């Protein structure tokens, strides 16, 4: 409000009667709300109080009107008047007006930057004629056809059909290859599997395990990549180990050779990880391998070739097992949840029947060793037992479902002699043993063994397997320090731990010899560690 307006209100307030003045102040206070005062109210009160202080007769008569006010109200009105006079003496509105005028005067005028005018006839910057695609005379060059971009596959599929056994590490020594193939071709099993074999006493079994040692002579890097499968030849006269790698290699190591290099040959029959590897139970000169690349091959050392048994480039395989004892029929599991029935006696590399199982994925497949119409499949979190006689192409329901697992599964295997037990390996750090002696609608859970199975990203996952010589004991890798390979009884008790100064890494995959006390373990760098009886080492 301007100063002239304020002076006018003060003059008007001085001519009003006290009653009218009080009513005006009260009305303005009601409009502004409690606790708020207008400048005119403060000015009116100030004029009134000043006039009352002069002691005029009119003022004294008007004071009678306010005689009904309490001392607090009169003091409050006096404080309001004094505050109004104080703020009026500061002349804040005049100072603010002068400050605004000073800011307006000091503000520089807005300046717009003038854009430079383009030179119509001027010469621009020089540009490359090659980039403009014109020749020096100014004639446009012809447009070159675009070259197709070649995308190189890191793991190209190998050609179909049989592959010749050409080692990757012994190209300059054909005599060594011939001697190696002859050794494997002449290999025969000296003892057949006896299903009526009784288990050894646990004390004598422990004593035999204590005699197994590891030395520098029994540690060797066989493959270039991580070990993805391990197998031991059933021969009792020689110690022969085969390992599959994630690079598609299959390495063979004959520990009876004086030099490690002379006893090692590496082949590449696959282009992706070899996840399953078995020697034929009827012909020990044959080794069957399965790979993620959608092929199953049979290495025949007598003919020095890798014969193609089954090929399906549209699917990725995970595991297989022999449905019959003579190894003529295979069950091949796919990562997508399908299963193929393959007959090796049928010409060609196709399947006899493609079956859709009730699992989203299949990690391992294992056939019952006695009642071979049953097989067990490990999926993502469930383990299902199927009857081959009830399989259909449209979809097959499991005979038994094991749903005790809470995280991802790695494997599930029957005990190798009687099949009365099932061991599963799960990512919840538990090894579970089930009673499969009676194939009813449910397999009772016998034991839960607490074991660290978290291998991380760079190590191959653990898979607990049974010892064929002592089928109530299982073998599994360990993350504990110092590094070790452990054997547990089916009751969960620790039977033995394989330790040694030469064991400095985690052996994720391990396998025991079917008749001899020989243990082979592979790590994630292609190195194989073989524990055996000190008397058997002949190096």
């Amino acid at each position: 409000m301007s100063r002239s307006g304020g002076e006018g209100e003060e003059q008007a307030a001085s001519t009003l009667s006290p009653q009218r003045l009080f009513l005006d102040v009260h009305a303005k206070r009601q409009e502004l709300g409690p606790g708020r005062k207008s400048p005119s109210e403060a000015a009116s009160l100030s004029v009134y109080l000043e006039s009352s202080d002069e002691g005029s007769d009119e003022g004294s008569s008007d004071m009678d009107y306010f005689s009904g006010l309490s001392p607090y109200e009169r003091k409050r009105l006096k404080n309001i008047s004094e505050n109004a006079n104080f703020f009026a003496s500061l002349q804040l509105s005049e100072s603010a007006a002068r400050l605004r005028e000073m800011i307006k005067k000091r503000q520089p005028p807005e300046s717009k930057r003038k854009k430079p005018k383009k030179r119509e006839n001027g010469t621009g910057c020089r540009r490359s004629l090659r980039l403009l695609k014109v020749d020096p005379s100014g004639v446009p060059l012809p447009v070159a056809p675009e070259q197709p971009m070649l995308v190189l596959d890191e793991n190209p599929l190998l050609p179909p059909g049989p592959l010749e056994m050409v080692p990757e590490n012994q190209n300059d020594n054909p005599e060594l290859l011939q001697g190696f193939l002859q050794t494997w071709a002449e290999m025969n099993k000296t003892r057949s599997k006896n299903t009526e074999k009784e288990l050894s006493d646990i004390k004598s079994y422990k004593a035999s395990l204590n005699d197994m040692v590891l030395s520098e002579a029994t540690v060797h890097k066989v493959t270039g990549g991580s070990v993805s499968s391990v197998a031991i030849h059933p021969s009792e006269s020689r110690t022969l180990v085969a390992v599959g790698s994630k690079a598609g290699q299959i390495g063979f190591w004959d520990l009876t050779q004086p030099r490690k290099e002379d006893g090692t040959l590496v082949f590449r029959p696959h282009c992706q990880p070899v996840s399953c590897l078995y020697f034929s139970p009827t012909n020990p000169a044959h080794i069957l391998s399965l790979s993620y690349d959608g092929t199953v091959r049979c290495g025949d050392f007598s003919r020095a070739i890798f014969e193609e048994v089954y090929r399906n480039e549209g699917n990725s395989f995970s595991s297989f097992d022999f449905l019959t004892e003579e190894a003529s029929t295979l069950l091949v599991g796919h990562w997508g949840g399908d299963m193929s029935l393959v007959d090796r006696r049928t010409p060609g590399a196709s399947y006899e029947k493609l079956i859709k199982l009730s699992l989203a994925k299949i990690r391992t497949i294992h056939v019952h060793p006695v009642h071979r119409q049953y097989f067990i499949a490990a999926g993502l979190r469930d383990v299902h037992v199927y009857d081959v006689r009830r399989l259909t192409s449209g979809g097959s329901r499991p005979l038994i479902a094991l749903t005790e697992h809470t995280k991802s599964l790695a494997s599930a295997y029957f005990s190798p002699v009687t099949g009365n037990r099932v061991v599963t390996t799960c990512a919840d750090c538990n090894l579970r043993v089930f009673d499969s002696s009676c194939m009813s609608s449910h397999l009772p859970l016998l034991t839960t063994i607490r074991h660290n199975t978290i291998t991380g990203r760079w190590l191959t996952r653990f898979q607990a397997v049974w010892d064929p010589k002592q089928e109530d004991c299982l073998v599994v890798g360990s993350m504990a320090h110092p590094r070790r390979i452990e054997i547990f009884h089916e009751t969960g008790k620790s039977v033995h731990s394989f330790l040694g100064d030469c064991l400095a890494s985690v052996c994720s995959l391990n396998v025991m010899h079917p008749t001899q006390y020989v243990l082979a373990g592979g790590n994630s760098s292609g190195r194989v560690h073989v524990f055996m009886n000190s008397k058997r080492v002949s190096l």
Side-chain angles (χ1 to χ4, degrees), residues 503-533:
L503 182 60
S505 58
V506 177
C507 289
S508 300
L509 300 178
N510 307 276
V511 63
M512 292 285 287
H513 194 282
T515 57
Q516 304 297 311
Y517 283 92
V518 178
L519 168 66
N523 66 8
S524 295
S525 64
R527 195 174 299 275
V528 178
H529 304 74
V530 180
F531 289 84
M532 63 176 64
N533 193 300

Side-chain angles (χ1 to χ4, degrees), residues 191-205:
R191 182 184 301 177
S192 60
K193 184 171 67 173
N194 185 7
T195 57
E196 303 296 331
K197 175 184 174 182
E198 295 182 358
L199 297 179
S200 302
D201 180 71
I202 193 66
K203 291 184 179 180
S204 60
Y205 180 66

Side-chain angles (χ1 to χ4, degrees), residues 33 124 156 162 170 188 192 194 219 265 308 330 344 358 467 471 480 486:
Q170 299 288 350
N188 292 315
S192 60
N194 185 7
V219 178
L265 286 180
E308 192 171 65
L330 310 178
R344 298 175 59 191
S358 56
D467 185 354
E471 69 161 1
E486 299 190 67

